[in-house]
Amino acid sequence: MKMIELTLNQLLREKTQKNPSQEFMVYADRDLRFTYAEFDKRVDDLACGLYAIGIRKGDHLGIWATNVPDWLTYMFACSRLGAVAVTVNTSYKLHELEYLVKQADLKILCLTDGVKDSNYVQMIKELVPELDEYERGCLKSKKFPYLKNVVFMGPEKFRGLYSTPELLLLGQHVDIEEIHKIEAEVTNEDVVNMQYTSGTTGFPKGVMLTSRNIINDGFIIGERMRYTEKDRVCLPVPLFHCFGIVLGVMAVLTHGATHVLLESFDPLVALASIQKEKCTAIYGVPTMFIAELNHPMFNMFDMSSLRTGIMAGSGVPVELMKTVIDKMHMPEITSVYGLTESSPGMTQSHWNDSVEVKATTVGDAFEGIDVKVLDPETGKECPIGVQGEMCCKGWNVMKGYYKMPEATAETIDKNGYLHSGDLGVKDENGNFRITGRIKDMIIRGGENIYPREIEEFLIQMPEIKDIQVAGVKSERYGEITGAFIILHEGKTLTEQDVIEFCRDKLSKFKWPQLVMFMDEFPMTGSGKIQKFKLTEIGTKYRREVVKVNDYINRGE
């Protein structure tokens, strides 16, 4: 594979010059459209505005917003200045935001009004009360010494905050040649994007990614999906996550295609966008595809323009993949596997792989990437068909965790292999299958149980819409298996029904010893299911049941 040796900024310039009138970005729900030329000009203008308020090469700029139209403008303006765009999870609350602003050494935080029950402006003012005291640009925060500015990514005005129109106005006083000089100093090995891991365990870590990392990762993904400038890719996944910004934006940009964006996921808007814009691809985690397929208006929309897409982000049920291929007209759908630290992709199925390969594996290794299954105990490569830890080495490996050298050393070994923490096996054709996560593994009385195996088995029950399996604490066994189930609307199921389905088909130690029916799963802002929370819910529920049973048994 020939590597793309461009900065993010140079890549946008190149694609704009090649096809300036091509649509870069579309929001179908409001008919908002930007050509490559129009977007490139707005990036120039915003880069001038950010330069006017003091953003320089190497500075960290946080973006805390759903997929609003200027999300990408801020990111690309950062790259034009050699600054680092730090993505902030939209579901963050006060404690998490405080940690990130401090840990990332943000110089500027750009935000919108918020989501659901979170008012971003109110939250940042609570953390930085000095915003109401100092003139804009002169902020001195006791808690965050690096923070100099907060920007509202819209026209509204708030005391102590700049707005986007104000930045564009200030930028008019900056000579664009100043920006061009900075561009010339930026290399593709400089950190361009810092994404924080979801933090489902421990403190979130800032993953430092370069232009070389994310551009080439996106390029291979697009190649395996046969992208050309004619493709129109529906992206309902969040831009703050690697799924949106790399698998989505980088794959689209490297092929000069068009983004069809949703500000936030809504199955109805996604279906309408596909029909209106004649999208050729759509992305999503399994729960998103389930929501689209089960929407009562699904059959009213024309999906015939689709041919490909990506289903990733969490375990992909085999039957769901087959249903999407059939009902959403996506014979060329692929599955990508990786993690933020690997930019994020390391393996992917190909557009022309068989349904069986797409549904049961995550494809083979990216070009130029050495993917191995290593024995967690010995560090040696596992034979074909033997389970071990998924690891990779190559151009996609992150520069490291920001200000966390020890954590970096724990994740990237002395031989340069990035350890994923995921369990997998390699087959005789070079394809990989993810079998679970080392930390997700349930150890019941010394028996190892892999949640993925039980999930794939139980999802065959026609009443079950979605299922997650997680360990639940037990005094007797250490852990037992908990099955957390979402039923199809109008369907009923009992715990005994689930057990009977397992009888004679699964080893008894693998049977769920706790079955809970739920309306939804606890999730991160990027759509990943938080299994540790399911463990907490199941453990608490089980303790309450034990208390009640003890009460009854005592005859009280």
Side-chain angles (χ1 to χ4, degrees), residues 61-66 68 74 88 97 108-114 119-125 131 150-154 156 158 161-164:
L61 179 148
I63 304 175
W64 193 24
T66 54
V68 294
Y74 274 88
V88 185
L97 178 66
I108 177 172
L109 176 63
C110 307
L111 48 76
T112 54
D113 45 6
N119 184 315
Y120 291 174
V121 175
Q122 186 178 315
M123 287 166 72
I124 193 62
K125 288 209 169 190
L131 282 167
V150 178
V151 173
F152 186 78
M153 296 166 67
E156 293 90 340
F158 297 93
L161 279 65
Y162 283 109
S163 67
T164 299

PDB file of all heavy atoms in Angstrom, residues 61-66 68 74 88 97 108-114 119-125 131 150-154 156 158 161-164:
ATOM      1  N   LEU A  61      -7.619  22.538  21.372  1.00  0.00           N
ATOM      2  CA  LEU A  61      -8.948  23.127  21.259  1.00  0.00           C
ATOM      3  C   LEU A  61      -9.986  22.029  21.422  1.00  0.00           C
ATOM      4  O   LEU A  61      -9.988  21.049  20.677  1.00  0.00           O
ATOM      5  CB  LEU A  61      -9.093  23.818  19.893  1.00  0.00           C
ATOM      6  CG  LEU A  61     -10.428  24.476  19.561  1.00  0.00           C
ATOM      7  CD1 LEU A  61     -10.214  25.705  18.663  1.00  0.00           C
ATOM      8  CD2 LEU A  61     -11.407  23.525  18.866  1.00  0.00           C
ATOM      9  N   GLY A  62     -10.856  22.175  22.412  1.00  0.00           N
ATOM     10  CA  GLY A  62     -11.889  21.173  22.666  1.00  0.00           C
ATOM     11  C   GLY A  62     -13.151  21.465  21.877  1.00  0.00           C
ATOM     12  O   GLY A  62     -13.564  22.626  21.763  1.00  0.00           O
ATOM     13  N   ILE A  63     -13.762  20.418  21.321  1.00  0.00           N
ATOM     14  CA  ILE A  63     -15.036  20.544  20.609  1.00  0.00           C
ATOM     15  C   ILE A  63     -16.065  19.709  21.353  1.00  0.00           C
ATOM     16  O   ILE A  63     -15.977  18.475  21.406  1.00  0.00           O
ATOM     17  CB  ILE A  63     -14.929  20.066  19.143  1.00  0.00           C
ATOM     18  CG1 ILE A  63     -13.817  20.828  18.406  1.00  0.00           C
ATOM     19  CG2 ILE A  63     -16.264  20.250  18.431  1.00  0.00           C
ATOM     20  CD1 ILE A  63     -13.565  20.330  16.991  1.00  0.00           C
ATOM     21  N   TRP A  64     -17.038  20.399  21.953  1.00  0.00           N
ATOM     22  CA  TRP A  64     -18.070  19.741  22.764  1.00  0.00           C
ATOM     23  C   TRP A  64     -19.426  20.026  22.138  1.00  0.00           C
ATOM     24  O   TRP A  64     -20.065  21.024  22.447  1.00  0.00           O
ATOM     25  CB  TRP A  64     -17.996  20.276  24.192  1.00  0.00           C
ATOM     26  CG  TRP A  64     -18.770  19.478  25.199  1.00  0.00           C
ATOM     27  CD1 TRP A  64     -19.133  18.174  25.136  1.00  0.00           C
ATOM     28  CD2 TRP A  64     -19.261  19.957  26.461  1.00  0.00           C
ATOM     29  NE1 TRP A  64     -19.811  17.795  26.267  1.00  0.00           N
ATOM     30  CE2 TRP A  64     -19.895  18.867  27.100  1.00  0.00           C
ATOM     31  CE3 TRP A  64     -19.202  21.174  27.120  1.00  0.00           C
ATOM     32  CZ2 TRP A  64     -20.489  18.989  28.354  1.00  0.00           C
ATOM     33  CZ3 TRP A  64     -19.791  21.301  28.378  1.00  0.00           C
ATOM     34  CH2 TRP A  64     -20.425  20.208  28.987  1.00  0.00           C
ATOM     35  N   ALA A  65     -19.833  19.151  21.231  1.00  0.00           N
ATOM     36  CA  ALA A  65     -21.059  19.400  20.479  1.00  0.00           C
ATOM     37  C   ALA A  65     -21.523  18.137  19.785  1.00  0.00           C
ATOM     38  O   ALA A  65     -20.726  17.243  19.494  1.00  0.00           O
ATOM     39  CB  ALA A  65     -20.808  20.494  19.429  1.00  0.00           C
ATOM     40  N   THR A  66     -22.820  18.082  19.512  1.00  0.00           N
ATOM     41  CA  THR A  66     -23.337  17.047  18.624  1.00  0.00           C
ATOM     42  C   THR A  66     -22.863  17.396  17.210  1.00  0.00           C
ATOM     43  O   THR A  66     -22.131  18.367  17.021  1.00  0.00           O
ATOM     44  CB  THR A  66     -24.872  17.004  18.690  1.00  0.00           C
ATOM     45  OG1 THR A  66     -25.385  18.330  18.419  1.00  0.00           O
ATOM     46  CG2 THR A  66     -25.361  16.561  20.058  1.00  0.00           C
ATOM     47  N   VAL A  68     -23.186  19.235  14.791  1.00  0.00           N
ATOM     48  CA  VAL A  68     -23.684  20.487  14.225  1.00  0.00           C
ATOM     49  C   VAL A  68     -22.873  20.838  12.977  1.00  0.00           C
ATOM     50  O   VAL A  68     -21.734  20.386  12.814  1.00  0.00           O
ATOM     51  CB  VAL A  68     -23.617  21.638  15.257  1.00  0.00           C
ATOM     52  CG1 VAL A  68     -24.570  21.377  16.408  1.00  0.00           C
ATOM     53  CG2 VAL A  68     -22.191  21.838  15.766  1.00  0.00           C
ATOM     54  N   TYR A  74     -14.609  23.653  12.702  1.00  0.00           N
ATOM     55  CA  TYR A  74     -13.670  23.880  13.806  1.00  0.00           C
ATOM     56  C   TYR A  74     -12.514  22.883  13.747  1.00  0.00           C
ATOM     57  O   TYR A  74     -11.352  23.240  13.970  1.00  0.00           O
ATOM     58  CB  TYR A  74     -14.387  23.795  15.157  1.00  0.00           C
ATOM     59  CG  TYR A  74     -15.017  25.108  15.562  1.00  0.00           C
ATOM     60  CD1 TYR A  74     -16.309  25.439  15.160  1.00  0.00           C
ATOM     61  CD2 TYR A  74     -14.319  26.044  16.328  1.00  0.00           C
ATOM     62  CE1 TYR A  74     -16.892  26.655  15.511  1.00  0.00           C
ATOM     63  CE2 TYR A  74     -14.886  27.251  16.692  1.00  0.00           C
ATOM     64  CZ  TYR A  74     -16.166  27.557  16.281  1.00  0.00           C
ATOM     65  OH  TYR A  74     -16.721  28.770  16.625  1.00  0.00           O
ATOM     66  N   VAL A  88     -14.789  16.000  22.665  1.00  0.00           N
ATOM     67  CA  VAL A  88     -15.389  15.869  23.997  1.00  0.00           C
ATOM     68  C   VAL A  88     -16.718  15.122  23.871  1.00  0.00           C
ATOM     69  O   VAL A  88     -17.580  15.502  23.082  1.00  0.00           O
ATOM     70  CB  VAL A  88     -15.623  17.252  24.650  1.00  0.00           C
ATOM     71  CG1 VAL A  88     -16.136  17.093  26.079  1.00  0.00           C
ATOM     72  CG2 VAL A  88     -14.341  18.094  24.612  1.00  0.00           C
ATOM     73  N   LEU A  97     -16.293  16.547  32.570  1.00  0.00           N
ATOM     74  CA  LEU A  97     -15.814  17.716  31.830  1.00  0.00           C
ATOM     75  C   LEU A  97     -14.627  18.358  32.541  1.00  0.00           C
ATOM     76  O   LEU A  97     -13.624  18.719  31.911  1.00  0.00           O
ATOM     77  CB  LEU A  97     -16.944  18.738  31.672  1.00  0.00           C
ATOM     78  CG  LEU A  97     -16.553  20.033  30.951  1.00  0.00           C
ATOM     79  CD1 LEU A  97     -16.197  19.763  29.491  1.00  0.00           C
ATOM     80  CD2 LEU A  97     -17.683  21.059  31.043  1.00  0.00           C
ATOM     81  N   ILE A 108      -8.725  26.391  24.599  1.00  0.00           N
ATOM     82  CA  ILE A 108     -10.024  26.922  24.193  1.00  0.00           C
ATOM     83  C   ILE A 108     -11.032  25.774  24.160  1.00  0.00           C
ATOM     84  O   ILE A 108     -10.700  24.665  23.752  1.00  0.00           O
ATOM     85  CB  ILE A 108      -9.919  27.624  22.812  1.00  0.00           C
ATOM     86  CG1 ILE A 108     -11.274  28.135  22.333  1.00  0.00           C
ATOM     87  CG2 ILE A 108      -9.309  26.720  21.768  1.00  0.00           C
ATOM     88  CD1 ILE A 108     -11.168  28.997  21.078  1.00  0.00           C
ATOM     89  N   LEU A 109     -12.232  26.056  24.628  1.00  0.00           N
ATOM     90  CA  LEU A 109     -13.306  25.072  24.576  1.00  0.00           C
ATOM     91  C   LEU A 109     -14.430  25.649  23.725  1.00  0.00           C
ATOM     92  O   LEU A 109     -14.928  26.747  24.001  1.00  0.00           O
ATOM     93  CB  LEU A 109     -13.831  24.732  25.970  1.00  0.00           C
ATOM     94  CG  LEU A 109     -15.029  23.773  26.018  1.00  0.00           C
ATOM     95  CD1 LEU A 109     -14.657  22.393  25.453  1.00  0.00           C
ATOM     96  CD2 LEU A 109     -15.569  23.627  27.443  1.00  0.00           C
ATOM     97  N   CYS A 110     -14.811  24.921  22.676  1.00  0.00           N
ATOM     98  CA  CYS A 110     -15.890  25.347  21.788  1.00  0.00           C
ATOM     99  C   CYS A 110     -17.092  24.440  22.042  1.00  0.00           C
ATOM    100  O   CYS A 110     -16.959  23.207  22.016  1.00  0.00           O
ATOM    101  CB  CYS A 110     -15.447  25.246  20.334  1.00  0.00           C
ATOM    102  SG  CYS A 110     -13.899  26.124  20.014  1.00  0.00           S
ATOM    103  N   LEU A 111     -18.247  25.027  22.300  1.00  0.00           N
ATOM    104  CA  LEU A 111     -19.409  24.232  22.705  1.00  0.00           C
ATOM    105  C   LEU A 111     -20.706  24.756  22.110  1.00  0.00           C
ATOM    106  O   LEU A 111     -20.764  25.868  21.578  1.00  0.00           O
ATOM    107  CB  LEU A 111     -19.501  24.193  24.233  1.00  0.00           C
ATOM    108  CG  LEU A 111     -19.365  25.516  25.011  1.00  0.00           C
ATOM    109  CD1 LEU A 111     -20.638  26.337  24.925  1.00  0.00           C
ATOM    110  CD2 LEU A 111     -19.033  25.244  26.464  1.00  0.00           C
ATOM    111  N   THR A 112     -21.744  23.926  22.202  1.00  0.00           N
ATOM    112  CA  THR A 112     -23.091  24.330  21.801  1.00  0.00           C
ATOM    113  C   THR A 112     -23.932  24.475  23.068  1.00  0.00           C
ATOM    114  O   THR A 112     -23.388  24.498  24.173  1.00  0.00           O
ATOM    115  CB  THR A 112     -23.718  23.286  20.864  1.00  0.00           C
ATOM    116  OG1 THR A 112     -23.659  22.001  21.489  1.00  0.00           O
ATOM    117  CG2 THR A 112     -22.981  23.238  19.531  1.00  0.00           C
ATOM    118  N   ASP A 113     -25.259  24.537  22.897  1.00  0.00           N
ATOM    119  CA  ASP A 113     -26.106  24.753  24.072  1.00  0.00           C
ATOM    120  C   ASP A 113     -26.310  23.489  24.901  1.00  0.00           C
ATOM    121  O   ASP A 113     -26.690  23.568  26.057  1.00  0.00           O
ATOM    122  CB  ASP A 113     -27.464  25.349  23.676  1.00  0.00           C
ATOM    123  CG  ASP A 113     -28.084  24.665  22.482  1.00  0.00           C
ATOM    124  OD1 ASP A 113     -27.520  23.642  22.028  1.00  0.00           O
ATOM    125  OD2 ASP A 113     -29.127  25.141  22.000  1.00  0.00           O
ATOM    126  N   GLY A 114     -26.062  22.295  24.293  1.00  0.00           N
ATOM    127  CA  GLY A 114     -26.146  21.077  25.090  1.00  0.00           C
ATOM    128  C   GLY A 114     -27.052  20.019  24.501  1.00  0.00           C
ATOM    129  O   GLY A 114     -27.553  20.147  23.380  1.00  0.00           O
ATOM    130  N   ASN A 119     -27.034  21.384  30.069  1.00  0.00           N
ATOM    131  CA  ASN A 119     -26.852  22.732  29.534  1.00  0.00           C
ATOM    132  C   ASN A 119     -25.353  23.037  29.568  1.00  0.00           C
ATOM    133  O   ASN A 119     -24.789  23.302  30.622  1.00  0.00           O
ATOM    134  CB  ASN A 119     -27.633  23.740  30.379  1.00  0.00           C
ATOM    135  CG  ASN A 119     -27.561  25.147  29.816  1.00  0.00           C
ATOM    136  OD1 ASN A 119     -26.495  25.637  29.423  1.00  0.00           O
ATOM    137  ND2 ASN A 119     -28.695  25.836  29.782  1.00  0.00           N
ATOM    138  N   TYR A 120     -24.707  22.976  28.410  1.00  0.00           N
ATOM    139  CA  TYR A 120     -23.253  23.112  28.352  1.00  0.00           C
ATOM    140  C   TYR A 120     -22.760  24.472  28.843  1.00  0.00           C
ATOM    141  O   TYR A 120     -21.745  24.562  29.534  1.00  0.00           O
ATOM    142  CB  TYR A 120     -22.748  22.892  26.921  1.00  0.00           C
ATOM    143  CG  TYR A 120     -22.879  21.471  26.394  1.00  0.00           C
ATOM    144  CD1 TYR A 120     -22.578  21.166  25.066  1.00  0.00           C
ATOM    145  CD2 TYR A 120     -23.299  20.416  27.216  1.00  0.00           C
ATOM    146  CE1 TYR A 120     -22.683  19.868  24.573  1.00  0.00           C
ATOM    147  CE2 TYR A 120     -23.412  19.132  26.736  1.00  0.00           C
ATOM    148  CZ  TYR A 120     -23.107  18.863  25.402  1.00  0.00           C
ATOM    149  OH  TYR A 120     -23.204  17.587  24.912  1.00  0.00           O
ATOM    150  N   VAL A 121     -23.466  25.527  28.459  1.00  0.00           N
ATOM    151  CA  VAL A 121     -23.045  26.874  28.871  1.00  0.00           C
ATOM    152  C   VAL A 121     -23.120  27.001  30.389  1.00  0.00           C
ATOM    153  O   VAL A 121     -22.201  27.512  31.041  1.00  0.00           O
ATOM    154  CB  VAL A 121     -23.903  27.960  28.189  1.00  0.00           C
ATOM    155  CG1 VAL A 121     -23.534  29.347  28.717  1.00  0.00           C
ATOM    156  CG2 VAL A 121     -23.723  27.918  26.670  1.00  0.00           C
ATOM    157  N   GLN A 122     -24.218  26.514  30.940  1.00  0.00           N
ATOM    158  CA  GLN A 122     -24.392  26.563  32.394  1.00  0.00           C
ATOM    159  C   GLN A 122     -23.303  25.751  33.096  1.00  0.00           C
ATOM    160  O   GLN A 122     -22.748  26.172  34.115  1.00  0.00           O
ATOM    161  CB  GLN A 122     -25.776  26.012  32.741  1.00  0.00           C
ATOM    162  CG  GLN A 122     -26.157  26.127  34.205  1.00  0.00           C
ATOM    163  CD  GLN A 122     -27.561  25.605  34.449  1.00  0.00           C
ATOM    164  OE1 GLN A 122     -28.486  25.910  33.700  1.00  0.00           O
ATOM    165  NE2 GLN A 122     -27.725  24.786  35.484  1.00  0.00           N
ATOM    166  N   MET A 123     -22.970  24.600  32.534  1.00  0.00           N
ATOM    167  CA  MET A 123     -21.969  23.735  33.145  1.00  0.00           C
ATOM    168  C   MET A 123     -20.581  24.349  33.120  1.00  0.00           C
ATOM    169  O   MET A 123     -19.851  24.316  34.118  1.00  0.00           O
ATOM    170  CB  MET A 123     -21.961  22.363  32.435  1.00  0.00           C
ATOM    171  CG  MET A 123     -23.178  21.517  32.773  1.00  0.00           C
ATOM    172  SD  MET A 123     -23.401  20.104  31.661  1.00  0.00           S
ATOM    173  CE  MET A 123     -22.068  19.051  32.198  1.00  0.00           C
ATOM    174  N   ILE A 124     -20.198  24.942  31.985  1.00  0.00           N
ATOM    175  CA  ILE A 124     -18.857  25.528  31.917  1.00  0.00           C
ATOM    176  C   ILE A 124     -18.766  26.765  32.814  1.00  0.00           C
ATOM    177  O   ILE A 124     -17.718  27.036  33.410  1.00  0.00           O
ATOM    178  CB  ILE A 124     -18.449  25.863  30.456  1.00  0.00           C
ATOM    179  CG1 ILE A 124     -16.943  26.163  30.376  1.00  0.00           C
ATOM    180  CG2 ILE A 124     -19.234  27.034  29.900  1.00  0.00           C
ATOM    181  CD1 ILE A 124     -16.040  25.040  30.756  1.00  0.00           C
ATOM    182  N   LYS A 125     -19.877  27.475  32.975  1.00  0.00           N
ATOM    183  CA  LYS A 125     -19.853  28.652  33.859  1.00  0.00           C
ATOM    184  C   LYS A 125     -19.772  28.237  35.326  1.00  0.00           C
ATOM    185  O   LYS A 125     -19.225  28.965  36.158  1.00  0.00           O
ATOM    186  CB  LYS A 125     -21.071  29.539  33.603  1.00  0.00           C
ATOM    187  CG  LYS A 125     -20.987  30.285  32.271  1.00  0.00           C
ATOM    188  CD  LYS A 125     -21.718  31.598  32.302  1.00  0.00           C
ATOM    189  CE  LYS A 125     -21.396  32.435  31.083  1.00  0.00           C
ATOM    190  NZ  LYS A 125     -21.902  33.809  31.190  1.00  0.00           N
ATOM    191  N   LEU A 131     -15.556  33.397  33.984  1.00  0.00           N
ATOM    192  CA  LEU A 131     -16.031  33.823  32.667  1.00  0.00           C
ATOM    193  C   LEU A 131     -16.900  35.078  32.760  1.00  0.00           C
ATOM    194  O   LEU A 131     -16.959  35.877  31.820  1.00  0.00           O
ATOM    195  CB  LEU A 131     -16.827  32.696  31.993  1.00  0.00           C
ATOM    196  CG  LEU A 131     -16.001  31.569  31.360  1.00  0.00           C
ATOM    197  CD1 LEU A 131     -16.885  30.377  31.014  1.00  0.00           C
ATOM    198  CD2 LEU A 131     -15.250  32.060  30.129  1.00  0.00           C
ATOM    199  N   VAL A 150     -13.548  30.518  25.836  1.00  0.00           N
ATOM    200  CA  VAL A 150     -14.654  29.606  25.579  1.00  0.00           C
ATOM    201  C   VAL A 150     -15.456  30.208  24.430  1.00  0.00           C
ATOM    202  O   VAL A 150     -15.713  31.422  24.413  1.00  0.00           O
ATOM    203  CB  VAL A 150     -15.546  29.409  26.822  1.00  0.00           C
ATOM    204  CG1 VAL A 150     -16.731  28.493  26.497  1.00  0.00           C
ATOM    205  CG2 VAL A 150     -14.730  28.825  27.975  1.00  0.00           C
ATOM    206  N   VAL A 151     -15.824  29.360  23.462  1.00  0.00           N
ATOM    207  CA  VAL A 151     -16.538  29.834  22.270  1.00  0.00           C
ATOM    208  C   VAL A 151     -17.860  29.102  22.145  1.00  0.00           C
ATOM    209  O   VAL A 151     -17.914  27.871  22.279  1.00  0.00           O
ATOM    210  CB  VAL A 151     -15.697  29.599  20.993  1.00  0.00           C
ATOM    211  CG1 VAL A 151     -16.510  29.931  19.747  1.00  0.00           C
ATOM    212  CG2 VAL A 151     -14.418  30.424  21.029  1.00  0.00           C
ATOM    213  N   PHE A 152     -18.922  29.855  21.871  1.00  0.00           N
ATOM    214  CA  PHE A 152     -20.219  29.243  21.591  1.00  0.00           C
ATOM    215  C   PHE A 152     -20.317  29.026  20.088  1.00  0.00           C
ATOM    216  O   PHE A 152     -20.184  29.966  19.304  1.00  0.00           O
ATOM    217  CB  PHE A 152     -21.373  30.121  22.077  1.00  0.00           C
ATOM    218  CG  PHE A 152     -22.711  29.450  21.932  1.00  0.00           C
ATOM    219  CD1 PHE A 152     -23.120  28.490  22.845  1.00  0.00           C
ATOM    220  CD2 PHE A 152     -23.534  29.739  20.861  1.00  0.00           C
ATOM    221  CE1 PHE A 152     -24.341  27.844  22.706  1.00  0.00           C
ATOM    222  CE2 PHE A 152     -24.758  29.100  20.708  1.00  0.00           C
ATOM    223  CZ  PHE A 152     -25.165  28.147  21.632  1.00  0.00           C
ATOM    224  N   MET A 153     -20.555  27.770  19.681  1.00  0.00           N
ATOM    225  CA  MET A 153     -20.546  27.416  18.259  1.00  0.00           C
ATOM    226  C   MET A 153     -21.892  27.746  17.610  1.00  0.00           C
ATOM    227  O   MET A 153     -22.586  26.878  17.069  1.00  0.00           O
ATOM    228  CB  MET A 153     -20.219  25.935  18.099  1.00  0.00           C
ATOM    229  CG  MET A 153     -18.832  25.571  18.591  1.00  0.00           C
ATOM    230  SD  MET A 153     -18.573  23.784  18.774  1.00  0.00           S
ATOM    231  CE  MET A 153     -18.651  23.227  17.081  1.00  0.00           C
ATOM    232  N   GLY A 154     -22.259  28.991  17.661  1.00  0.00           N
ATOM    233  CA  GLY A 154     -23.514  29.455  17.089  1.00  0.00           C
ATOM    234  C   GLY A 154     -23.592  30.959  17.192  1.00  0.00           C
ATOM    235  O   GLY A 154     -22.646  31.614  17.657  1.00  0.00           O
ATOM    236  N   GLU A 156     -25.713  32.819  19.086  1.00  0.00           N
ATOM    237  CA  GLU A 156     -26.133  33.370  20.374  1.00  0.00           C
ATOM    238  C   GLU A 156     -24.944  33.964  21.129  1.00  0.00           C
ATOM    239  O   GLU A 156     -23.813  33.508  21.001  1.00  0.00           O
ATOM    240  CB  GLU A 156     -26.798  32.292  21.238  1.00  0.00           C
ATOM    241  CG  GLU A 156     -28.129  31.804  20.686  1.00  0.00           C
ATOM    242  CD  GLU A 156     -27.984  30.624  19.748  1.00  0.00           C
ATOM    243  OE1 GLU A 156     -26.884  30.401  19.223  1.00  0.00           O
ATOM    244  OE2 GLU A 156     -28.979  29.939  19.517  1.00  0.00           O
ATOM    245  N   PHE A 158     -23.273  35.009  24.847  1.00  0.00           N
ATOM    246  CA  PHE A 158     -23.248  34.746  26.286  1.00  0.00           C
ATOM    247  C   PHE A 158     -22.079  35.505  26.890  1.00  0.00           C
ATOM    248  O   PHE A 158     -20.999  35.578  26.290  1.00  0.00           O
ATOM    249  CB  PHE A 158     -23.079  33.243  26.564  1.00  0.00           C
ATOM    250  CG  PHE A 158     -24.210  32.387  26.064  1.00  0.00           C
ATOM    251  CD1 PHE A 158     -24.142  31.802  24.809  1.00  0.00           C
ATOM    252  CD2 PHE A 158     -25.340  32.178  26.844  1.00  0.00           C
ATOM    253  CE1 PHE A 158     -25.182  31.011  24.332  1.00  0.00           C
ATOM    254  CE2 PHE A 158     -26.387  31.391  26.384  1.00  0.00           C
ATOM    255  CZ  PHE A 158     -26.307  30.804  25.122  1.00  0.00           C
ATOM    256  N   LEU A 161     -18.172  34.622  26.608  1.00  0.00           N
ATOM    257  CA  LEU A 161     -17.950  33.675  25.508  1.00  0.00           C
ATOM    258  C   LEU A 161     -17.937  34.399  24.160  1.00  0.00           C
ATOM    259  O   LEU A 161     -18.738  35.315  23.937  1.00  0.00           O
ATOM    260  CB  LEU A 161     -19.052  32.604  25.462  1.00  0.00           C
ATOM    261  CG  LEU A 161     -18.953  31.406  26.403  1.00  0.00           C
ATOM    262  CD1 LEU A 161     -19.068  31.831  27.865  1.00  0.00           C
ATOM    263  CD2 LEU A 161     -20.020  30.379  26.057  1.00  0.00           C
ATOM    264  N   TYR A 162     -17.056  33.991  23.287  1.00  0.00           N
ATOM    265  CA  TYR A 162     -17.125  34.420  21.888  1.00  0.00           C
ATOM    266  C   TYR A 162     -18.193  33.586  21.193  1.00  0.00           C
ATOM    267  O   TYR A 162     -18.517  32.474  21.627  1.00  0.00           O
ATOM    268  CB  TYR A 162     -15.793  34.196  21.170  1.00  0.00           C
ATOM    269  CG  TYR A 162     -14.719  35.210  21.478  1.00  0.00           C
ATOM    270  CD1 TYR A 162     -13.609  34.858  22.238  1.00  0.00           C
ATOM    271  CD2 TYR A 162     -14.803  36.515  20.984  1.00  0.00           C
ATOM    272  CE1 TYR A 162     -12.607  35.776  22.514  1.00  0.00           C
ATOM    273  CE2 TYR A 162     -13.804  37.445  21.248  1.00  0.00           C
ATOM    274  CZ  TYR A 162     -12.702  37.074  22.013  1.00  0.00           C
ATOM    275  OH  TYR A 162     -11.718  37.987  22.284  1.00  0.00           O
ATOM    276  N   SER A 163     -18.720  34.089  20.080  1.00  0.00           N
ATOM    277  CA  SER A 163     -19.618  33.308  19.229  1.00  0.00           C
ATOM    278  C   SER A 163     -18.922  33.090  17.888  1.00  0.00           C
ATOM    279  O   SER A 163     -17.953  33.774  17.553  1.00  0.00           O
ATOM    280  CB  SER A 163     -20.941  34.057  19.006  1.00  0.00           C
ATOM    281  OG  SER A 163     -20.713  35.241  18.239  1.00  0.00           O
ATOM    282  N   THR A 164     -19.428  32.145  17.123  1.00  0.00           N
ATOM    283  CA  THR A 164     -18.824  31.874  15.813  1.00  0.00           C
ATOM    284  C   THR A 164     -18.856  33.108  14.903  1.00  0.00           C
ATOM    285  O   THR A 164     -17.835  33.437  14.287  1.00  0.00           O
ATOM    286  CB  THR A 164     -19.513  30.672  15.135  1.00  0.00           C
ATOM    287  OG1 THR A 164     -19.339  29.507  15.953  1.00  0.00           O
ATOM    288  CG2 THR A 164     -18.921  30.405  13.754  1.00  0.00           C
TER     289      THR A 164
END
